[in-house]
Amino acid sequence: MRRRQILDLAAASAALAALQTLGGCAQDDAAPGQPPVTAEGESSPMQHIAMLVYPGFTALDLIGPQTAFSFLDDVQIHLVWKTLDPITTDSGITLLPTASFETCPEELAVLFVPGGVAGTIAAMKDGEVLDFLAARAEQASYVTSVCTGSLVLGAAGLLRDHRATTHWGFREVLPLLGAERVDARYVEDRNRITGGGVTSGIDFGLRVVAKMRDDAAAQRAQLIMEYDPDPPFQAGSPESAPAALVEQTRGEIAPALAEATLAAQQAQARW
């Protein structure tokens, strides 16, 4: 075999050892599907992370934290929906759930909800979704969301008397759901951790990894992901973007904001 081919194979092997397949989990020193083995030879208990998926959610809300979680060596990540039928995101990506509401484990290390726009507003009104979240939250170590996923948590009554954040365009809905609005990249209040819009999911995911393990585990994930933001433009928030662009975007969001506000008001009757 030529030297170049050998080097390519070595590089590929190293990459596979460091990066996990989407939706899976790393399990060093363990057979596939089995809990890892500790230094004392005993199996560590497997932790379960349930990540809700639903028609029309925003893929990046989920993929950022899911990638961070995938570097933990003793977790199983479940992509959960009512059925195992394919789900199409708001950007046209299709994925397959790995668990249904019925088969999702009851004890969870993390319960997570991604956001979106039309799909999220529909989820806010879906009693089956809200009942599932309320039930699993009772035995979840952390109840979490990214972007407008917090509005779905709120509709389920899970953010009452908690500080929380969401996408900047929808933060005014949070008080209607009993939450204290916070304008931040991510917010921790007891076992509730909520992230801001879309890309905050990576920051959020790394923070959750640090809480589940330690800072070193989160730093390792960050390094392997090469998460070192250097955006070509300073327009990622209302504070940094040009004022005219912010006003234009607010106008585009306004109809969805009105629908989310109505859905939040309707959700209050469930509590």
Side-chain angles (χ1 to χ4, degrees), residues 129-150:
V129 170
L130 303 183
D131 288 344
F132 167 77
L133 293 174
R136 289 303 188 276
E138 292 180 359
Q139 298 189 64
S141 298
Y142 297 104
V143 178
T144 72
S145 64
V146 163
C147 198
T148 52
S150 59

Side-chain angles (χ1 to χ4, degrees), residues 29-47:
D29 301 319
Q34 298 299 318
V37 178
T38 66
E40 292 76 20
E42 297 179 355
S43 294
S44 299
M46 183 69 70
Q47 292 182 299

Side-chain angles (χ1 to χ4, degrees), residues 174-227:
L174 288 170
L176 297 176
L177 297 167
E180 178 184 343
R181 166 183 171 168
V182 180
D183 297 345
R185 188 73 168 166
Y186 59 87
V187 174
E188 300 177 45
D189 188 345
R190 289 156 282 176
N191 77 329
R192 304 300 198 259
I193 308 178
T194 52
V198 191
T199 60
S200 70
I202 299 178
D203 304 68
F204 157 91
L206 293 172
R207 182 56 184 156
V208 174
V209 167
K211 292 184 74 68
M212 291 179 68
R213 296 295 181 272
D214 53 30
D215 288 357
Q219 290 167 355
R220 174 179 177 271
Q222 181 177 359
L223 179 59
I224 295 175
M225 292 165 65
E226 198 176 353
Y227 179 52

Side-chain angles (χ1 to χ4, degrees), residues 52 101 122-136 151-158 267 270-271:
L52 182 71
F101 288 176
M124 292 175 69
K125 302 176 183 179
D126 190 322
E128 192 174 352
V129 170
L130 303 183
D131 288 344
F132 167 77
L133 293 174
R136 289 303 188 276
L151 304 186
V152 184
L153 288 182
L158 296 173
R270 294 179 55 87
W271 309 337

Side-chain angles (χ1 to χ4, degrees), residues 18 23 27 71 75 79 81 86 100 102 120 124 226 247 262 270:
Q27 298 180 15
F71 291 106
V75 302
L79 305 181
W81 180 235
S100 67
E102 290 75 20
T120 302
M124 292 175 69
E226 198 176 353
E247 289 308 306
L262 180 59
R270 294 179 55 87

Side-chain angles (χ1 to χ4, degrees), residues 54-131:
Y54 54 88
F57 82 92
T58 298
L60 189 53
D61 288 0
L62 178 136
I63 297 302
Q66 189 276 339
T67 302
F69 298 157
S70 73
F71 291 106
L72 295 173
D73 61 3
D74 54 357
V75 302
Q76 184 172 359
I77 300 171
H78 307 272
L79 305 181
V80 187
W81 180 235
K82 298 177 184 181
T83 69
L84 300 184
D85 295 335
I87 295 289
T88 301
T89 70
D90 60 4
S91 61
I93 294 173
T94 298
L95 56 79
L96 293 174
T98 61
S100 67
F101 288 176
E102 290 75 20
T103 62
C104 177
E106 294 186 3
E107 288 193 27
L108 299 171
V110 178
L111 175 63
F112 171 83
V113 182
V117 184
T120 302
I121 294 169
M124 292 175 69
K125 302 176 183 179
D126 190 322
E128 192 174 352
V129 170
L130 303 183
D131 288 344

